[in-house]
Amino acid sequence: YMVSRNHLAISNEGGMIWVVDRGSAFGTIVNGREVGGQSGVTRVPLDQEVNQVVVGPATSRFIFLLRPVVVQS
């Protein structure tokens, strides 16, 4: 698979971190939940602990583990 740099976005909205699929053909899988593609869901929040993000279908090799960290300013 090839992944576009526009495949997904990670955003902070109201103190919650979201993974937003940006209209990709194969979608994204966040903690086992399909986002984008044919799912009808465009975004999901990340858990506060470790999150598994698969960029593309379940067979994709692009698998990332993300853990949100609060940065004090």
Side-chain angles (χ1 to χ4, degrees):
Y1 299 101
M2 293 182 61
V3 176
S4 162
R5 65 178 144 188
N6 291 316
H7 186 101
L8 63 85
I10 298 173
S11 66
N12 183 343
E13 298 175 27
M16 292 185 67
I17 307 298
W18 296 82
V19 172
V20 182
D21 187 273
R22 300 179 81 184
S24 67
F26 293 111
T28 304
I29 301 170
V30 179
N31 298 325
R33 183 169 179 197
E34 293 185 20
V35 185
Q38 303 299 317
S39 72
V41 176
T42 58
R43 67 185 195 148
V44 295
L46 289 178
D47 294 338
Q48 292 182 358
E49 298 299 320
V50 175
N51 298 269
Q52 183 183 64
V53 178
V54 180
V55 181
T59 56
S60 173
R61 293 184 180 181
F62 296 100
I63 302 170
F64 301 91
L65 297 178
L66 302 177
R67 182 174 55 94
V69 176
V70 176
V71 177
Q72 302 295 328
S73 44

